[in-house]
Amino acid sequence: MHMLITQRTRVASPRMAIGSRIARNTTSRLNSDRRRRHFVTRANTGKVSVGEAAPDFELIAGGYVNVKLSDYKGKKVVLAFFPCAFSGAVDDGCQCQLEALKTLTDAGVTVFGISRDQPFAQKAWMEKLGNPSLLCLCDFTLGTAENYVGTLDFGAFLDGVGVSKGFTGYSASNRGCIAIDEEGKVVYKWVALDDAGKSHPGFLPNIDEVKKALGM
C-alpha cells in the first residue's frame, strides 16, 4: 500500500477593496499572497512507490565518508529527507524530525538523514544532533531526493514566510520518510504535503507508522 500522507495548511486571502487607499493595500496583499503561494505548485513526490525496490545511491556523509545504500541490504533502513540543516524553527522541525528517529537507531535500525547541505555542514549538523548512529548525507544534486520524495522551491517558501527576500528558485528536498526492509524494498513512504497535496515542510512523519511498516 502506498502510504502518502497529506496535511492541512492555511493560505490567507485578501479582502475586497473599497476606495483607492484600500485598493493599494489589497494589491500589496495580493502580491504577498502570490509570493507565498508560488512555492506550492503541485507537489513532486518522487518516483519510487511502496513495494518497489529501493533505488541504490552513493552519497557523501558529514566528514566525507561515502555511503552506498546497497551495502546495507539485509538491514532495516530509514531515509529521513529534510530541506535544510540549521533552519531552526523556520520550517517547523528538521531537528525535531531527526531527533525523533533516535528510537529507531536505538533499536538497531540504520537511519540516514538526507539533504542538499554540503558535507562540512552535515558534519556539524550530526554533532549538534548528538546521535552517533545517525549519518547525515549530502544529496547535492538532489537526484536521490527526486527518486524518493521529490523536491520543493524552499527559497520561495522562505520568501513567503518573510524569512528571506529574493531567495525563490533555491530547490531542496521535500521533508519525507522512507522505510526499506531487509530485502531492499520500500515498505513505507511519507512526504510532507498540505491538504491540497502540495509540498509544505511544516509537518513531521509518524514514527509509530514507520515502526509498524518495518515489523517492529
Side-chain angles (χ1 to χ4, degrees):
M1 178 180 179
H2 184 87
M3 303 175 70
L4 187 63
I5 300 173
T6 60
Q7 304 267 2
R8 180 185 299 272
T9 187
R10 296 179 180 178
V11 178
S13 59
R15 297 177 181 176
M16 295 295 293
I18 302 176
S20 61
R21 182 176 61 84
I22 298 177
R24 286 194 299 271
N25 291 338
T26 300
T27 299
S28 176
R29 284 196 297 270
L30 278 168
N31 289 335
S32 176
D33 282 350
R34 289 190 188 104
R35 287 195 296 271
R36 282 197 294 269
R37 289 196 294 264
H38 181 76
F39 79 97
V40 291
T41 53
R42 194 68 187 175
N44 161 20
T45 58
K47 301 172 184 176
V48 71
S49 299
V50 169
E52 295 179 352
D56 198 14
F57 59 78
E58 185 170 1
L59 299 175
I60 301 173
Y64 285 90
V65 176
N66 285 64
V67 173
K68 192 172 184 179
L69 179 63
S70 55
D71 290 342
Y72 292 83
K73 193 167 183 180
K75 298 181 179 179
K76 293 180 172 69
V77 177
V78 168
L79 310 178
F81 290 88
F82 60 99
C84 185
F86 296 106
S87 56
V90 168
D91 65 356
D92 299 323
C94 287
Q95 185 169 349
C96 292
Q97 176 190 6
L98 297 181
E99 286 178 341
L101 296 170
K102 191 175 186 303
T103 59
L104 297 178
T105 58
D106 286 349
V109 177
T110 298
V111 178
F112 298 123
I114 302 176
S115 73
R116 188 179 182 179
D117 299 281
Q118 46 90 356
F120 293 114
Q122 296 287 21
K123 186 175 187 298
W125 184 233
M126 287 158 54
E127 291 170 354
K128 178 177 175 62
L129 294 171
N131 182 356
S133 298
L134 191 157
L135 289 179
C136 290
L137 313 181
C138 168
D139 181 21
F140 67 96
T141 68
L142 294 175
T144 301
E146 290 285 1
N147 274 336
Y148 281 98
V149 297
T151 59
L152 81 158
D153 188 335
F154 192 54
F157 171 76
L158 295 178
D159 283 356
V161 296
V163 170
S164 60
K165 184 178 180 180
F167 201 35
T168 294
Y170 178 82
S171 296
S173 170
N174 278 326
R175 189 185 306 286
C177 187
I178 301 288
I180 301 167
D181 68 11
E182 294 90 337
E183 296 180 356
K185 289 189 177 181
V186 174
V187 294
Y188 177 84
K189 176 174 180 174
W190 175 89
V191 180
L193 304 174
D194 67 14
D195 203 35
K198 300 172 183 177
S199 296
H200 193 294
F203 304 102
L204 297 174
N206 186 320
I207 301 302
D208 287 337
E209 290 180 352
V210 178
K211 290 179 178 178
K212 183 178 179 180
L214 289 171
M216 299 173 65

mmCIF file of all heavy atoms in Angstrom, residues 12-32:
data_model
loop_
_atom_site.group_PDB
_atom_site.id
_atom_site.type_symbol
_atom_site.label_atom_id
_atom_site.label_comp_id
_atom_site.label_asym_id
_atom_site.label_seq_id
_atom_site.Cartn_x
_atom_site.Cartn_y
_atom_site.Cartn_z
ATOM 1 N N ALA A 12 -3.694 32.779 3.364
ATOM 2 C CA ALA A 12 -4.591 33.911 3.564
ATOM 3 C C ALA A 12 -5.153 34.405 2.231
ATOM 4 O O ALA A 12 -4.498 34.334 1.201
ATOM 5 C CB ALA A 12 -3.852 35.063 4.255
ATOM 6 N N SER A 13 -6.398 34.924 2.253
ATOM 7 C CA SER A 13 -6.981 35.520 1.048
ATOM 8 C C SER A 13 -7.264 36.989 1.320
ATOM 9 O O SER A 13 -7.681 37.358 2.416
ATOM 10 C CB SER A 13 -8.281 34.794 0.662
ATOM 11 O OG SER A 13 -9.212 34.872 1.711
ATOM 12 N N PRO A 14 -7.033 37.881 0.345
ATOM 13 C CA PRO A 14 -7.223 39.320 0.564
ATOM 14 C C PRO A 14 -8.688 39.693 0.632
ATOM 15 O O PRO A 14 -9.550 39.050 0.059
ATOM 16 C CB PRO A 14 -6.558 39.941 -0.668
ATOM 17 C CG PRO A 14 -6.687 38.888 -1.716
ATOM 18 C CD PRO A 14 -6.554 37.579 -0.992
ATOM 19 N N ARG A 15 -8.976 40.792 1.350
ATOM 20 C CA ARG A 15 -10.334 41.308 1.400
ATOM 21 C C ARG A 15 -10.628 42.102 0.124
ATOM 22 O O ARG A 15 -9.739 42.557 -0.573
ATOM 23 C CB ARG A 15 -10.496 42.214 2.614
ATOM 24 C CG ARG A 15 -10.299 41.485 3.935
ATOM 25 C CD ARG A 15 -10.392 42.463 5.081
ATOM 26 N NE ARG A 15 -10.189 41.790 6.360
ATOM 27 C CZ ARG A 15 -10.150 42.416 7.525
ATOM 28 N NH1 ARG A 15 -10.277 43.729 7.582
ATOM 29 N NH2 ARG A 15 -9.961 41.731 8.638
ATOM 30 N N MET A 16 -11.929 42.328 -0.139
ATOM 31 C CA MET A 16 -12.334 43.128 -1.292
ATOM 32 C C MET A 16 -11.941 44.578 -1.045
ATOM 33 O O MET A 16 -12.066 45.101 0.065
ATOM 34 C CB MET A 16 -13.848 43.019 -1.505
ATOM 35 C CG MET A 16 -14.319 41.621 -1.880
ATOM 36 S SD MET A 16 -13.669 41.091 -3.480
ATOM 37 C CE MET A 16 -14.543 42.236 -4.549
ATOM 38 N N ALA A 17 -11.467 45.265 -2.093
ATOM 39 C CA ALA A 17 -11.013 46.647 -1.947
ATOM 40 C C ALA A 17 -12.170 47.613 -2.133
ATOM 41 O O ALA A 17 -12.993 47.461 -3.012
ATOM 42 C CB ALA A 17 -9.931 46.938 -2.962
ATOM 43 N N ILE A 18 -12.207 48.662 -1.281
ATOM 44 C CA ILE A 18 -13.187 49.740 -1.430
ATOM 45 C C ILE A 18 -12.410 51.036 -1.325
ATOM 46 O O ILE A 18 -11.872 51.346 -0.262
ATOM 47 C CB ILE A 18 -14.281 49.689 -0.342
ATOM 48 C CG1 ILE A 18 -15.001 48.340 -0.387
ATOM 49 C CG2 ILE A 18 -15.260 50.834 -0.508
ATOM 50 C CD1 ILE A 18 -16.022 48.168 0.708
ATOM 51 N N GLY A 19 -12.352 51.823 -2.426
ATOM 52 C CA GLY A 19 -11.601 53.068 -2.418
ATOM 53 C C GLY A 19 -10.162 52.845 -2.813
ATOM 54 O O GLY A 19 -9.633 51.752 -2.709
ATOM 55 N N SER A 20 -9.491 53.912 -3.232
ATOM 56 C CA SER A 20 -8.140 53.788 -3.774
ATOM 57 C C SER A 20 -7.129 53.355 -2.730
ATOM 58 O O SER A 20 -6.230 52.555 -2.996
ATOM 59 C CB SER A 20 -7.709 55.119 -4.399
ATOM 60 O OG SER A 20 -7.695 56.142 -3.417
ATOM 61 N N ARG A 21 -7.224 53.871 -1.480
ATOM 62 C CA ARG A 21 -6.251 53.507 -0.463
ATOM 63 C C ARG A 21 -6.353 52.035 -0.115
ATOM 64 O O ARG A 21 -5.349 51.327 -0.025
ATOM 65 C CB ARG A 21 -6.468 54.354 0.804
ATOM 66 C CG ARG A 21 -5.449 54.052 1.912
ATOM 67 C CD ARG A 21 -5.652 54.981 3.088
ATOM 68 N NE ARG A 21 -6.981 54.804 3.658
ATOM 69 C CZ ARG A 21 -7.290 53.855 4.544
ATOM 70 N NH1 ARG A 21 -6.382 52.978 4.920
ATOM 71 N NH2 ARG A 21 -8.517 53.769 5.024
ATOM 72 N N ILE A 22 -7.578 51.530 0.056
ATOM 73 C CA ILE A 22 -7.780 50.115 0.355
ATOM 74 C C ILE A 22 -7.350 49.272 -0.828
ATOM 75 O O ILE A 22 -6.786 48.187 -0.675
ATOM 76 C CB ILE A 22 -9.247 49.847 0.725
ATOM 77 C CG1 ILE A 22 -9.615 50.623 1.984
ATOM 78 C CG2 ILE A 22 -9.489 48.361 0.927
ATOM 79 C CD1 ILE A 22 -11.063 50.482 2.403
ATOM 80 N N ALA A 23 -7.612 49.767 -2.043
ATOM 81 C CA ALA A 23 -7.204 49.022 -3.239
ATOM 82 C C ALA A 23 -5.701 48.837 -3.276
ATOM 83 O O ALA A 23 -5.198 47.772 -3.633
ATOM 84 C CB ALA A 23 -7.663 49.759 -4.497
ATOM 85 N N ARG A 24 -4.946 49.908 -2.923
ATOM 86 C CA ARG A 24 -3.490 49.784 -2.911
ATOM 87 C C ARG A 24 -3.043 48.758 -1.889
ATOM 88 O O ARG A 24 -2.152 47.955 -2.138
ATOM 89 C CB ARG A 24 -2.851 51.140 -2.619
ATOM 90 C CG ARG A 24 -2.901 52.112 -3.792
ATOM 91 C CD ARG A 24 -1.961 53.278 -3.557
ATOM 92 N NE ARG A 24 -2.324 54.035 -2.361
ATOM 93 C CZ ARG A 24 -3.174 55.056 -2.365
ATOM 94 N NH1 ARG A 24 -3.767 55.433 -3.487
ATOM 95 N NH2 ARG A 24 -3.431 55.711 -1.249
ATOM 96 N N ASN A 25 -3.673 48.793 -0.699
ATOM 97 C CA ASN A 25 -3.326 47.820 0.341
ATOM 98 C C ASN A 25 -3.651 46.402 -0.099
ATOM 99 O O ASN A 25 -2.910 45.452 0.158
ATOM 100 C CB ASN A 25 -4.066 48.139 1.644
ATOM 101 C CG ASN A 25 -3.559 49.407 2.295
ATOM 102 O OD1 ASN A 25 -2.429 49.825 2.015
ATOM 103 N ND2 ASN A 25 -4.385 50.005 3.150
ATOM 104 N N THR A 26 -4.786 46.265 -0.789
ATOM 105 C CA THR A 26 -5.188 44.938 -1.262
ATOM 106 C C THR A 26 -4.216 44.413 -2.307
ATOM 107 O O THR A 26 -3.852 43.236 -2.308
ATOM 108 C CB THR A 26 -6.609 44.992 -1.854
ATOM 109 O OG1 THR A 26 -7.517 45.420 -0.838
ATOM 110 C CG2 THR A 26 -7.042 43.614 -2.351
ATOM 111 N N THR A 27 -3.788 45.321 -3.223
ATOM 112 C CA THR A 27 -2.805 44.912 -4.226
ATOM 113 C C THR A 27 -1.538 44.413 -3.566
ATOM 114 O O THR A 27 -0.953 43.407 -3.964
ATOM 115 C CB THR A 27 -2.471 46.089 -5.157
ATOM 116 O OG1 THR A 27 -3.660 46.489 -5.828
ATOM 117 C CG2 THR A 27 -1.414 45.684 -6.185
ATOM 118 N N SER A 28 -1.118 45.125 -2.502
ATOM 119 C CA SER A 28 0.078 44.689 -1.769
ATOM 120 C C SER A 28 -0.130 43.311 -1.167
ATOM 121 O O SER A 28 0.751 42.450 -1.221
ATOM 122 C CB SER A 28 0.414 45.703 -0.673
ATOM 123 O OG SER A 28 1.501 45.257 0.095
ATOM 124 N N ARG A 29 -1.334 43.098 -0.597
ATOM 125 C CA ARG A 29 -1.616 41.793 -0.001
ATOM 126 C C ARG A 29 -1.666 40.712 -1.069
ATOM 127 O O ARG A 29 -1.204 39.586 -0.872
ATOM 128 C CB ARG A 29 -2.935 41.832 0.772
ATOM 129 C CG ARG A 29 -2.826 42.537 2.113
ATOM 130 C CD ARG A 29 -4.028 42.203 2.978
ATOM 131 N NE ARG A 29 -5.281 42.666 2.395
ATOM 132 C CZ ARG A 29 -5.809 43.858 2.622
ATOM 133 N NH1 ARG A 29 -5.163 44.742 3.356
ATOM 134 N NH2 ARG A 29 -6.952 44.197 2.074
ATOM 135 N N LEU A 30 -2.252 41.041 -2.230
ATOM 136 C CA LEU A 30 -2.304 40.067 -3.320
ATOM 137 C C LEU A 30 -0.907 39.663 -3.763
ATOM 138 O O LEU A 30 -0.625 38.485 -3.974
ATOM 139 C CB LEU A 30 -3.072 40.654 -4.504
ATOM 140 C CG LEU A 30 -4.607 40.578 -4.444
ATOM 141 C CD1 LEU A 30 -5.198 41.456 -5.529
ATOM 142 C CD2 LEU A 30 -5.073 39.144 -4.566
ATOM 143 N N ASN A 31 -0.027 40.648 -3.916
ATOM 144 C CA ASN A 31 1.342 40.339 -4.314
ATOM 145 C C ASN A 31 2.014 39.468 -3.272
ATOM 146 O O ASN A 31 2.758 38.544 -3.586
ATOM 147 C CB ASN A 31 2.139 41.626 -4.522
ATOM 148 C CG ASN A 31 1.702 42.376 -5.769
ATOM 149 O OD1 ASN A 31 1.166 41.764 -6.690
ATOM 150 N ND2 ASN A 31 1.932 43.686 -5.804
ATOM 151 N N SER A 32 1.747 39.775 -1.995
ATOM 152 C CA SER A 32 2.329 38.966 -0.925
ATOM 153 C C SER A 32 1.804 37.546 -0.972
ATOM 154 O O SER A 32 2.550 36.576 -0.810
ATOM 155 C CB SER A 32 2.005 39.592 0.439
ATOM 156 O OG SER A 32 2.479 38.786 1.484
#
